[in-house]
Amino acid sequence: MSDLDTFRMEARTWLEANCPAEMRTAETSDKDACWGGRNFKFKSEAQKVWLERMVAQGWTVPTWPKEYGGAGLSRKEEIVLLQEMKRINARNPLSSFGIWMLGPALLKFGNEEQKAEHLPPIARGEIRWCQGYSEPGAGSDLASLKTKAEDMGDHYIVNGQKVWTSYADEADWIFCLVRTDNTGKKHHGISFVLFDMASEGVEARPIKLISGRSPFCETFLTDVKVLKKNLLGEEHKGWSIAKYLLTHEREMIGGGNEAARPLHELAAGSLGLEDGKLADPMLRAKIAEAEIDEWAFNLTMKRKLAEAKAGASLGADSSMLKYYGTELNKRKYELMMDATGHEGLEWESDRSNDGKMARSWLRTKGNSIEGGTSEVQLNIISKHILQLPGA
Amino acid sequence: MSDLDTFRMEARTWLEANCPAEMRTAETSDKDACWGGRNFKFKSEAQKVWLERMVAQGWTVPTWPKEYGGAGLSRKEEIVLLQEMKRINARNPLSSFGIWMLGPALLKFGNEEQKAEHLPPIARGEIRWCQGYSEPGAGSDLASLKTKAEDMGDHYIVNGQKVWTSYADEADWIFCLVRTDNTGKKHHGISFVLFDMASEGVEARPIKLISGRSPFCETFLTDVKVLKKNLLGEEHKGWSIAKYLLTHEREMIGGGNEAARPLHELAAGSLGLEDGKLADPMLRAKIAEAEIDEWAFNLTMKRKLAEAKAGASLGADSSMLKYYGTELNKRKYELMMDATGHEGLEWESDRSNDGKMARSWLRTKGNSIEGGTSEVQLNIISKHILQLPGA
Amino acid sequence: MALVLNEDEVMMRDMAQGFFAEKAPVKALRVLRDTQDETGFDRALWADMAGMGFAGIVVPEEHGGVDMGYLAAGLVAEQMGRNLTASPFLSTAILAATALKHGTDEQKSEWLPKIASGKAVIALALDEGVKHNPRGTATTAEPSGNGFKLNGSKAMVVDGHVADVMIVAARTSGEAGDAEGISLFLVDPKSKGVATERTIMVDSRNAARIDLDDVEVSGDALIGTLDGGMAVLDAVLTAGRGIAAAELLGAGAQAFEDTVAYIKERKQFGQIIGEFQALQHRSSHLYSELEIARSAVIGALTALDEGDEKASAYCAMAKAKLGSVAKLASQEGVQMHGGVGMTDEYDIGLFMKRIRVLQELMGDAHYHMNEFAVANEF
Amino acid sequence: MALVLNEDEVMMRDMAQGFFAEKAPVKALRVLRDTQDETGFDRALWADMAGMGFAGIVVPEEHGGVDMGYLAAGLVAEQMGRNLTASPFLSTAILAATALKHGTDEQKSEWLPKIASGKAVIALALDEGVKHNPRGTATTAEPSGNGFKLNGSKAMVVDGHVADVMIVAARTSGEAGDAEGISLFLVDPKSKGVATERTIMVDSRNAARIDLDDVEVSGDALIGTLDGGMAVLDAVLTAGRGIAAAELLGAGAQAFEDTVAYIKERKQFGQIIGEFQALQHRSSHLYSELEIARSAVIGALTALDEGDEKASAYCAMAKAKLGSVAKLASQEGVQMHGGVGMTDEYDIGLFMKRIRVLQELMGDAHYHMNEFAVANEF
């Protein structure tokens, strides 16, 4: 028996013994997720117990070093752990931008003191993080950000406005891009800082979207004091950290949004069949086309992953995946709306699960905007892959 | 009875008496057209008689002044004449770039001597003209043309190369853009000159296209002598004449290419029906979509014409019509190829009328290139209609 | 076919333009939505619209209307589309008025003046499944006494929850799927057995579900002939599709113009984003589509006014084309607005919502493409 | 499913790349075309290809092949697509070899070694109407003596006019439209009653019409079971579609790369046209489509090699996707080349022609989209 097989049996045994039955059911909505943080209210005792037990194992962040709250697992062991969790349908114990985004950046760019201070509370779900990147004047062109951090010796004074800050109203700390130097090119003079959302001068307001309520906020920063020990990486050189995280984010958005049920089943259920064929022959054609594209796209995700494992760098192909995946997802939701007709257009009713179809459809329109617009991805492909002049 | 009604009766009587029976049948191919010129060989006695009689009436160029070989008709009378010709299915007596393109420019920009010299032979079909615009390095960017005309006092010496010169190998004279000044912006320093294709130093070679034989030629100009009296308009200011003619050409290409038979009939004939529906349900959807677009596009041609008659200027909307019409035509031919399957792919056989379907399909690909590419039309719309910055 | 507006039509358009921009701009819809207004439109506005002649725009003069025809009605609808104006124009002034022109003299005398004066709101209760399908009508009307007894369920009944009377399509013979055997009835929503539920839709406009449980109507409630309701419905839907296409044109054109204005202002990468050629070409393509679409609307409504035998086909084709083009305009609009296009604060999302509903009403693009193919026997 | 090439496969690809670029580049096709070559391919090249193992690439080793499987065959086909190489690879090495693997021991022993060694050219005579439609087979094979008598007409028979033997699909029971009742026969083209006409197609490659007039074949000419030919045909067409998709990938990718190279050089308006953002975005979109398409080809052929039960569906899906994507690549290619893209002098038009024919062979994108829907019961 290989080491990996041994690990698999141990994991299986532990999970069987420690995952509460209630945590082995599918989440029914976003609200079922455990996000942790100072103000988080557990939905159930089982949710709390499940988090505590996983934290004790170091399995909220399995590949992180043990000293920072992880279990020091290899990538292969992590995959085995995830497979075993999936086997019993175990819920993710902790959803966290700290784990998904800041953690990897801290591990790569942080100094020893920063890692020791911030990583363990992330692993334990004690501190919830949000991301302060976009600004009203700096969306696709993130590097033109203006939020200013003035050097006051041992600290900065930060002034400015961030937008699209997910869960800023619920987060404890923020990792944030600020401008520390105005004199050079726009990609220089950006610094990557961390601060407590409870600091004086921080105000977060939720943004209402076309799809309704959203986790996004506008965040206003007025004379916020940020200690210099909370500067990640070198001063003025935060852009390289930001880019590292953006690539991460792009990969998450590109592949994340698979509808559970094939489009054609939804359509057949909604419209019915005539002589075995979807009652709307035009829609039938478009669904077939979209599903073939989806199959080929999913294969591409797998292929690029396999190539990356084999040592090739994904590079700018992450832009291709992000572009294609989000545009395809938008197409799919348009077709779902076509298939569900009047019912899909309902906005507020039990029958429509509070307008779930319509809201999801509208929400997908943001897929090709957030994390770098489709236009930006196409620019990146033109420049880095096709090497077209002036791109 | 209005004057117009009187004219209609006169025209009807004359046409009945003078149009030979043979000239009242549809042309079966491009080869049936009468192009005139020094070297033209009439296909039949009837074709020759028909031209001579129409020339005598001034009806090859009905709206031109009588002194230049026209009949001095009003636009409304011309429309009546065309209606009456159509009524008896009379063929066009004379196809001519001299009539369609150079003539209007001569009338607008020519001096008295030039009009007297060139217009009558055009009206009589004695001199056949071709157009020397594009160059290998100047396609969409026509104004960057390099063919050079050196000032030698009373004449120019022209050197350079033209391309896409339709029927250069059969034409008698050419109207041609040349550069007389190199020092300013590219739109300046262009002059519009006329010369005999029999001049020493002129050589025309036909170009083979992807669709097979074509009327297009490459034309090489080596030390060609052009008298200054053959300069149309002012020296260095030929661009305004060129633009005037380009708008003309755009309108011709945008609307010209209607297939006689509805797409769905072609498809039904080729594929057959199942339960009353086209055997290929996917193609059926696309044909319905294309035919609805075609209906709306044809209405748009009519609407813009009506608006122009009502006094509005067509302006940059000619670019919209050219863009939409040619792209739609390409779509239609793709669908025809889909509908005709293997048969449409044949290239050389009696069965396929020498590959007419495939050659026509390939030829349509040039629609969105010649007369200003689709990209150029979109640029024009962006700039002149939408007034987008930097367009 | 005249494809250029004449003087009267230009005047009507300009009048409507000024009226809606002043009285019922987009923010008026926001107020109705955010106050959860129970009527779903502004009754004072509707009275004003009647005063302008809009409510009676296709009602004959003898019944108190201005009888200006469907092209003129389309010019009004276009401006409503541009302003996202909520009103019973489509349900009452177009669908119901067209239906009642096929009614008995008594029905005309009773209802057409009330339509023209803005005193009655009338809803068409037709669709039952999730998609438009007139032939699929399964609601039944069985003979009962001197009249009929109706049973069934209707969905997406525009203005159904505030209607003074409804026009209900029900089957008096044949089976769901048959064109024959459908009849139209005037039904009082306060009748015993009628249950009305307002359904809040994505566009914040009016729609309702109507349940009919042994609802009794008298024999003179029948509009048109028994079993021959499809002929009346064809006329009603032809008009409705043409006018919906006109509203889509207005909404699509406004979404486009808002977007072009936005990209002329917004800066990214140190450039006005409207300078980027990729956005320029997409904008110019959309401009072209909208021009083509405008011709489709004018052509269809002109054909309708001229009594052209192909008017029904043309209105359906216009509805198909506008469904696609307006949708593209809203999609490109949100994308080119970028992040702010996703916020409720900007109007572009409201256009996307209204366009989605309009393109679904009375048959979406796919429906009409299929019908086009059937009508052309392919 | 391994979606990354292993070492052997990389070697095969590199070998094929070098081979075709040297021995059969695009200009070789021009020579065949312009000399009106009667064979339509270069027999010496085919012998060389056999020497390289390409002819026997799916033939078992016991019959003289190298048995490397369909993914490897796809790598060869991709390079042929890039070079527009004319050869009997598709007809003989793929379609016929796959069919004969379902033959009797005698058939295998006789024909598979001849395929692998390049000594026999074998054509599949299947389609009859203008579109691909295996179930529509109407050619009949009636019992006659110890064998059968064939009557009917076949079209678009690739390599039909130079075939040493043909595999003919004919109906032994049932009616056109039935999947059951089709049988496959080996037919000698020199038999009495066989009339062969080469049809010159737009891509200058081989195709023929075959008329069968009381053609007698013996009982042992049957491949597979009587009336059960569709099972063999499914296997044959699955392989053929997968390999045609691979060739389309090569042709589409080369058309794209030629175009990108061209727009990096060509100047208009004082600018390299590749600097125009509109062209950049369209190029980047096409790059994305080609990457997606590549996965479809690799996934389909891998499934085929692994005996995945969905291999048939996957190969059909890959054919559909590649038909669309390669077509887009050729259309964008001609447009971005501008005027010279229309001339015979540049290669881009030749790619457009070949891609059109390939996407038509064995079912176009519409055909496979429809089949996909049928297979998924919608």
Side-chain angles (χ1 to χ4, degrees), chain B residues 97-98 102 128-133 165-176 195 197 219:
Chain B
F97 293 127
L102 180 62
R128 181 170 181 182
W129 287 82
C130 64
Q131 179 198 50
Y133 273 28
T165 334
S166 299
Y167 298 112
D169 53 340
E170 298 178 15
D172 304 312
W173 276 65
I174 185 169
F175 51 99
C176 189
F195 57 87
M197 290 293 281
T219 304

PDB file of all heavy atoms in Angstrom, chain B residues 97-98 102 128-133 165-176 195 197 219:
ATOM      1  N   PHE B  97     -18.576  51.439 -67.179  1.00  0.00           N
ATOM      2  CA  PHE B  97     -18.050  52.212 -66.042  1.00  0.00           C
ATOM      3  C   PHE B  97     -17.988  53.691 -66.408  1.00  0.00           C
ATOM      4  O   PHE B  97     -17.978  54.547 -65.545  1.00  0.00           O
ATOM      5  CB  PHE B  97     -16.655  51.728 -65.631  1.00  0.00           C
ATOM      6  CG  PHE B  97     -16.659  50.352 -65.066  1.00  0.00           C
ATOM      7  CD1 PHE B  97     -15.819  49.368 -65.559  1.00  0.00           C
ATOM      8  CD2 PHE B  97     -17.512  50.025 -64.018  1.00  0.00           C
ATOM      9  CE1 PHE B  97     -15.815  48.084 -65.029  1.00  0.00           C
ATOM     10  CE2 PHE B  97     -17.521  48.747 -63.482  1.00  0.00           C
ATOM     11  CZ  PHE B  97     -16.678  47.774 -63.990  1.00  0.00           C
ATOM     12  N   GLY B  98     -17.917  53.953 -67.727  1.00  0.00           N
ATOM     13  CA  GLY B  98     -17.958  55.344 -68.178  1.00  0.00           C
ATOM     14  C   GLY B  98     -19.270  55.991 -67.790  1.00  0.00           C
ATOM     15  O   GLY B  98     -19.310  57.135 -67.332  1.00  0.00           O
ATOM     16  N   LEU B 102     -17.367  57.315 -64.288  1.00  0.00           N
ATOM     17  CA  LEU B 102     -16.635  58.484 -64.756  1.00  0.00           C
ATOM     18  C   LEU B 102     -17.580  59.606 -65.175  1.00  0.00           C
ATOM     19  O   LEU B 102     -17.339  60.784 -64.882  1.00  0.00           O
ATOM     20  CB  LEU B 102     -15.712  58.103 -65.929  1.00  0.00           C
ATOM     21  CG  LEU B 102     -14.903  59.289 -66.475  1.00  0.00           C
ATOM     22  CD1 LEU B 102     -13.979  59.856 -65.407  1.00  0.00           C
ATOM     23  CD2 LEU B 102     -14.108  58.883 -67.706  1.00  0.00           C
ATOM     24  N   ARG B 128     -14.540  52.391 -73.942  1.00  0.00           N
ATOM     25  CA  ARG B 128     -14.788  51.659 -72.707  1.00  0.00           C
ATOM     26  C   ARG B 128     -13.742  52.083 -71.676  1.00  0.00           C
ATOM     27  O   ARG B 128     -12.547  52.101 -71.968  1.00  0.00           O
ATOM     28  CB  ARG B 128     -14.688  50.170 -72.998  1.00  0.00           C
ATOM     29  CG  ARG B 128     -14.945  49.304 -71.802  1.00  0.00           C
ATOM     30  CD  ARG B 128     -15.058  47.848 -72.222  1.00  0.00           C
ATOM     31  NE  ARG B 128     -15.318  47.023 -71.068  1.00  0.00           N
ATOM     32  CZ  ARG B 128     -15.420  45.709 -71.110  1.00  0.00           C
ATOM     33  NH1 ARG B 128     -15.289  45.073 -72.263  1.00  0.00           N
ATOM     34  NH2 ARG B 128     -15.665  45.020 -70.010  1.00  0.00           N
ATOM     35  N   TRP B 129     -14.189  52.399 -70.476  1.00  0.00           N
ATOM     36  CA  TRP B 129     -13.289  52.899 -69.440  1.00  0.00           C
ATOM     37  C   TRP B 129     -13.060  51.877 -68.338  1.00  0.00           C
ATOM     38  O   TRP B 129     -13.900  51.030 -68.060  1.00  0.00           O
ATOM     39  CB  TRP B 129     -13.886  54.162 -68.789  1.00  0.00           C
ATOM     40  CG  TRP B 129     -13.824  55.364 -69.688  1.00  0.00           C
ATOM     41  CD1 TRP B 129     -14.686  55.677 -70.685  1.00  0.00           C
ATOM     42  CD2 TRP B 129     -12.829  56.406 -69.650  1.00  0.00           C
ATOM     43  NE1 TRP B 129     -14.299  56.843 -71.294  1.00  0.00           N
ATOM     44  CE2 TRP B 129     -13.172  57.331 -70.684  1.00  0.00           C
ATOM     45  CE3 TRP B 129     -11.698  56.657 -68.879  1.00  0.00           C
ATOM     46  CZ2 TRP B 129     -12.408  58.467 -70.933  1.00  0.00           C
ATOM     47  CZ3 TRP B 129     -10.947  57.793 -69.126  1.00  0.00           C
ATOM     48  CH2 TRP B 129     -11.308  58.688 -70.158  1.00  0.00           C
ATOM     49  N   CYS B 130     -11.896  51.998 -67.699  1.00  0.00           N
ATOM     50  CA  CYS B 130     -11.670  51.237 -66.462  1.00  0.00           C
ATOM     51  C   CYS B 130     -11.124  52.201 -65.410  1.00  0.00           C
ATOM     52  O   CYS B 130     -10.811  53.357 -65.712  1.00  0.00           O
ATOM     53  CB  CYS B 130     -10.715  50.068 -66.691  1.00  0.00           C
ATOM     54  SG  CYS B 130      -9.046  50.539 -67.176  1.00  0.00           S
ATOM     55  N   GLN B 131     -11.040  51.689 -64.189  1.00  0.00           N
ATOM     56  CA  GLN B 131     -10.758  52.538 -63.036  1.00  0.00           C
ATOM     57  C   GLN B 131      -9.425  52.159 -62.385  1.00  0.00           C
ATOM     58  O   GLN B 131      -9.243  51.008 -61.995  1.00  0.00           O
ATOM     59  CB  GLN B 131     -11.897  52.331 -62.023  1.00  0.00           C
ATOM     60  CG  GLN B 131     -11.775  53.123 -60.748  1.00  0.00           C
ATOM     61  CD  GLN B 131     -12.668  52.530 -59.663  1.00  0.00           C
ATOM     62  OE1 GLN B 131     -12.631  51.326 -59.414  1.00  0.00           O
ATOM     63  NE2 GLN B 131     -13.443  53.367 -59.008  1.00  0.00           N
ATOM     64  N   GLY B 132      -8.504  53.116 -62.291  1.00  0.00           N
ATOM     65  CA  GLY B 132      -7.198  52.803 -61.696  1.00  0.00           C
ATOM     66  C   GLY B 132      -7.028  53.414 -60.322  1.00  0.00           C
ATOM     67  O   GLY B 132      -6.490  54.510 -60.175  1.00  0.00           O
ATOM     68  N   TYR B 133      -7.547  52.726 -59.321  1.00  0.00           N
ATOM     69  CA  TYR B 133      -7.524  53.248 -57.952  1.00  0.00           C
ATOM     70  C   TYR B 133      -6.511  52.495 -57.086  1.00  0.00           C
ATOM     71  O   TYR B 133      -5.461  53.000 -56.733  1.00  0.00           O
ATOM     72  CB  TYR B 133      -8.916  53.123 -57.323  1.00  0.00           C
ATOM     73  CG  TYR B 133      -9.843  54.291 -57.592  1.00  0.00           C
ATOM     74  CD1 TYR B 133      -9.729  55.063 -58.735  1.00  0.00           C
ATOM     75  CD2 TYR B 133     -10.855  54.600 -56.688  1.00  0.00           C
ATOM     76  CE1 TYR B 133     -10.588  56.110 -58.977  1.00  0.00           C
ATOM     77  CE2 TYR B 133     -11.725  55.651 -56.928  1.00  0.00           C
ATOM     78  CZ  TYR B 133     -11.583  56.411 -58.067  1.00  0.00           C
ATOM     79  OH  TYR B 133     -12.432  57.444 -58.290  1.00  0.00           O
ATOM     80  N   THR B 165      -7.918  46.428 -61.159  1.00  0.00           N
ATOM     81  CA  THR B 165      -8.456  47.236 -62.243  1.00  0.00           C
ATOM     82  C   THR B 165      -9.416  46.353 -63.047  1.00  0.00           C
ATOM     83  O   THR B 165      -8.974  45.519 -63.831  1.00  0.00           O
ATOM     84  CB  THR B 165      -7.318  47.723 -63.155  1.00  0.00           C
ATOM     85  OG1 THR B 165      -6.099  47.785 -62.403  1.00  0.00           O
ATOM     86  CG2 THR B 165      -7.622  49.059 -63.751  1.00  0.00           C
ATOM     87  N   SER B 166     -10.734  46.526 -62.831  1.00  0.00           N
ATOM     88  CA  SER B 166     -11.699  45.668 -63.524  1.00  0.00           C
ATOM     89  C   SER B 166     -11.611  45.874 -65.027  1.00  0.00           C
ATOM     90  O   SER B 166     -11.683  47.003 -65.498  1.00  0.00           O
ATOM     91  CB  SER B 166     -13.121  46.006 -63.092  1.00  0.00           C
ATOM     92  OG  SER B 166     -13.275  45.788 -61.736  1.00  0.00           O
ATOM     93  N   TYR B 167     -11.502  44.783 -65.771  1.00  0.00           N
ATOM     94  CA  TYR B 167     -11.503  44.796 -67.239  1.00  0.00           C
ATOM     95  C   TYR B 167     -10.414  45.674 -67.834  1.00  0.00           C
ATOM     96  O   TYR B 167     -10.569  46.187 -68.948  1.00  0.00           O
ATOM     97  CB  TYR B 167     -12.870  45.243 -67.778  1.00  0.00           C
ATOM     98  CG  TYR B 167     -14.003  44.321 -67.377  1.00  0.00           C
ATOM     99  CD1 TYR B 167     -14.987  44.736 -66.495  1.00  0.00           C
ATOM    100  CD2 TYR B 167     -14.077  43.027 -67.903  1.00  0.00           C
ATOM    101  CE1 TYR B 167     -16.017  43.889 -66.122  1.00  0.00           C
ATOM    102  CE2 TYR B 167     -15.108  42.175 -67.541  1.00  0.00           C
ATOM    103  CZ  TYR B 167     -16.080  42.612 -66.650  1.00  0.00           C
ATOM    104  OH  TYR B 167     -17.097  41.778 -66.297  1.00  0.00           O
ATOM    105  N   ALA B 168      -9.306  45.856 -67.132  1.00  0.00           N
ATOM    106  CA  ALA B 168      -8.225  46.662 -67.683  1.00  0.00           C
ATOM    107  C   ALA B 168      -7.744  46.073 -69.004  1.00  0.00           C
ATOM    108  O   ALA B 168      -7.297  46.789 -69.895  1.00  0.00           O
ATOM    109  CB  ALA B 168      -7.061  46.731 -66.699  1.00  0.00           C
ATOM    110  N   ASP B 169      -7.853  44.751 -69.131  1.00  0.00           N
ATOM    111  CA  ASP B 169      -7.376  44.105 -70.354  1.00  0.00           C
ATOM    112  C   ASP B 169      -8.323  44.326 -71.533  1.00  0.00           C
ATOM    113  O   ASP B 169      -7.981  44.014 -72.666  1.00  0.00           O
ATOM    114  CB  ASP B 169      -7.163  42.599 -70.118  1.00  0.00           C
ATOM    115  CG  ASP B 169      -8.382  41.925 -69.534  1.00  0.00           C
ATOM    116  OD1 ASP B 169      -9.248  42.634 -68.949  1.00  0.00           O
ATOM    117  OD2 ASP B 169      -8.492  40.694 -69.643  1.00  0.00           O
ATOM    118  N   GLU B 170      -9.507  44.855 -71.270  1.00  0.00           N
ATOM    119  CA  GLU B 170     -10.466  45.073 -72.357  1.00  0.00           C
ATOM    120  C   GLU B 170     -10.822  46.552 -72.544  1.00  0.00           C
ATOM    121  O   GLU B 170     -11.490  46.911 -73.512  1.00  0.00           O
ATOM    122  CB  GLU B 170     -11.747  44.276 -72.104  1.00  0.00           C
ATOM    123  CG  GLU B 170     -11.489  42.766 -72.065  1.00  0.00           C
ATOM    124  CD  GLU B 170     -12.741  41.945 -71.759  1.00  0.00           C
ATOM    125  OE1 GLU B 170     -13.860  42.498 -71.859  1.00  0.00           O
ATOM    126  OE2 GLU B 170     -12.588  40.762 -71.410  1.00  0.00           O
ATOM    127  N   ALA B 171     -10.390  47.387 -71.606  1.00  0.00           N
ATOM    128  CA  ALA B 171     -10.806  48.791 -71.648  1.00  0.00           C
ATOM    129  C   ALA B 171      -9.929  49.606 -72.595  1.00  0.00           C
ATOM    130  O   ALA B 171      -8.785  49.242 -72.890  1.00  0.00           O
ATOM    131  CB  ALA B 171     -10.751  49.391 -70.250  1.00  0.00           C
ATOM    132  N   ASP B 172     -10.485  50.744 -73.053  1.00  0.00           N
ATOM    133  CA  ASP B 172      -9.762  51.625 -73.979  1.00  0.00           C
ATOM    134  C   ASP B 172      -9.031  52.745 -73.233  1.00  0.00           C
ATOM    135  O   ASP B 172      -7.928  53.122 -73.591  1.00  0.00           O
ATOM    136  CB  ASP B 172     -10.754  52.244 -74.961  1.00  0.00           C
ATOM    137  CG  ASP B 172     -11.553  51.186 -75.696  1.00  0.00           C
ATOM    138  OD1 ASP B 172     -10.939  50.226 -76.203  1.00  0.00           O
ATOM    139  OD2 ASP B 172     -12.797  51.289 -75.718  1.00  0.00           O
ATOM    140  N   TRP B 173      -9.697  53.313 -72.264  1.00  0.00           N
ATOM    141  CA  TRP B 173      -9.117  54.398 -71.475  1.00  0.00           C
ATOM    142  C   TRP B 173      -9.242  54.071 -69.999  1.00  0.00           C
ATOM    143  O   TRP B 173     -10.067  53.243 -69.609  1.00  0.00           O
ATOM    144  CB  TRP B 173      -9.867  55.727 -71.753  1.00  0.00           C
ATOM    145  CG  TRP B 173      -9.359  56.454 -72.972  1.00  0.00           C
ATOM    146  CD1 TRP B 173      -9.421  56.037 -74.263  1.00  0.00           C
ATOM    147  CD2 TRP B 173      -8.725  57.748 -72.969  1.00  0.00           C
ATOM    148  NE1 TRP B 173      -8.872  56.966 -75.092  1.00  0.00           N
ATOM    149  CE2 TRP B 173      -8.434  58.043 -74.336  1.00  0.00           C
ATOM    150  CE3 TRP B 173      -8.373  58.676 -71.986  1.00  0.00           C
ATOM    151  CZ2 TRP B 173      -7.807  59.235 -74.727  1.00  0.00           C
ATOM    152  CZ3 TRP B 173      -7.759  59.855 -72.377  1.00  0.00           C
ATOM    153  CH2 TRP B 173      -7.467  60.135 -73.722  1.00  0.00           C
ATOM    154  N   ILE B 174      -8.459  54.751 -69.203  1.00  0.00           N
ATOM    155  CA  ILE B 174      -8.510  54.539 -67.752  1.00  0.00           C
ATOM    156  C   ILE B 174      -8.644  55.891 -67.041  1.00  0.00           C
ATOM    157  O   ILE B 174      -8.085  56.890 -67.498  1.00  0.00           O
ATOM    158  CB  ILE B 174      -7.242  53.795 -67.260  1.00  0.00           C
ATOM    159  CG1 ILE B 174      -7.333  53.443 -65.765  1.00  0.00           C
ATOM    160  CG2 ILE B 174      -5.973  54.629 -67.518  1.00  0.00           C
ATOM    161  CD1 ILE B 174      -6.241  52.479 -65.297  1.00  0.00           C
ATOM    162  N   PHE B 175      -9.452  55.938 -65.981  1.00  0.00           N
ATOM    163  CA  PHE B 175      -9.399  57.099 -65.077  1.00  0.00           C
ATOM    164  C   PHE B 175      -8.654  56.640 -63.842  1.00  0.00           C
ATOM    165  O   PHE B 175      -8.942  55.592 -63.274  1.00  0.00           O
ATOM    166  CB  PHE B 175     -10.776  57.689 -64.761  1.00  0.00           C
ATOM    167  CG  PHE B 175     -11.827  56.740 -64.282  1.00  0.00           C
ATOM    168  CD1 PHE B 175     -12.110  56.611 -62.935  1.00  0.00           C
ATOM    169  CD2 PHE B 175     -12.568  55.988 -65.186  1.00  0.00           C
ATOM    170  CE1 PHE B 175     -13.095  55.744 -62.480  1.00  0.00           C
ATOM    171  CE2 PHE B 175     -13.556  55.119 -64.751  1.00  0.00           C
ATOM    172  CZ  PHE B 175     -13.814  54.997 -63.402  1.00  0.00           C
ATOM    173  N   CYS B 176      -7.695  57.439 -63.419  1.00  0.00           N
ATOM    174  CA  CYS B 176      -6.629  56.896 -62.611  1.00  0.00           C
ATOM    175  C   CYS B 176      -6.172  57.912 -61.564  1.00  0.00           C
ATOM    176  O   CYS B 176      -6.066  59.110 -61.852  1.00  0.00           O
ATOM    177  CB  CYS B 176      -5.476  56.557 -63.574  1.00  0.00           C
ATOM    178  SG  CYS B 176      -4.137  55.653 -62.853  1.00  0.00           S
ATOM    179  N   PHE B 195      -6.167  58.564 -69.203  1.00  0.00           N
ATOM    180  CA  PHE B 195      -5.282  58.282 -70.350  1.00  0.00           C
ATOM    181  C   PHE B 195      -5.694  57.023 -71.088  1.00  0.00           C
ATOM    182  O   PHE B 195      -6.450  56.185 -70.590  1.00  0.00           O
ATOM    183  CB  PHE B 195      -3.805  58.252 -69.948  1.00  0.00           C
ATOM    184  CG  PHE B 195      -3.429  57.286 -68.863  1.00  0.00           C
ATOM    185  CD1 PHE B 195      -3.104  55.970 -69.172  1.00  0.00           C
ATOM    186  CD2 PHE B 195      -3.370  57.697 -67.540  1.00  0.00           C
ATOM    187  CE1 PHE B 195      -2.710  55.092 -68.184  1.00  0.00           C
ATOM    188  CE2 PHE B 195      -2.992  56.804 -66.539  1.00  0.00           C
ATOM    189  CZ  PHE B 195      -2.672  55.499 -66.855  1.00  0.00           C
ATOM    190  N   MET B 197      -5.396  53.475 -72.693  1.00  0.00           N
ATOM    191  CA  MET B 197      -4.727  52.230 -72.308  1.00  0.00           C
ATOM    192  C   MET B 197      -3.792  51.733 -73.405  1.00  0.00           C
ATOM    193  O   MET B 197      -2.985  50.834 -73.172  1.00  0.00           O
ATOM    194  CB  MET B 197      -5.767  51.153 -71.979  1.00  0.00           C
ATOM    195  CG  MET B 197      -6.549  51.399 -70.697  1.00  0.00           C
ATOM    196  SD  MET B 197      -5.511  51.279 -69.205  1.00  0.00           S
ATOM    197  CE  MET B 197      -5.390  49.492 -69.002  1.00  0.00           C
ATOM    198  N   THR B 219      -2.241  46.290 -63.297  1.00  0.00           N
ATOM    199  CA  THR B 219      -1.870  47.172 -64.403  1.00  0.00           C
ATOM    200  C   THR B 219      -0.538  47.836 -64.076  1.00  0.00           C
ATOM    201  O   THR B 219      -0.408  48.506 -63.038  1.00  0.00           O
ATOM    202  CB  THR B 219      -2.962  48.230 -64.629  1.00  0.00           C
ATOM    203  OG1 THR B 219      -4.201  47.548 -64.842  1.00  0.00           O
ATOM    204  CG2 THR B 219      -2.651  49.078 -65.843  1.00  0.00           C
TER     205      THR B 219
END
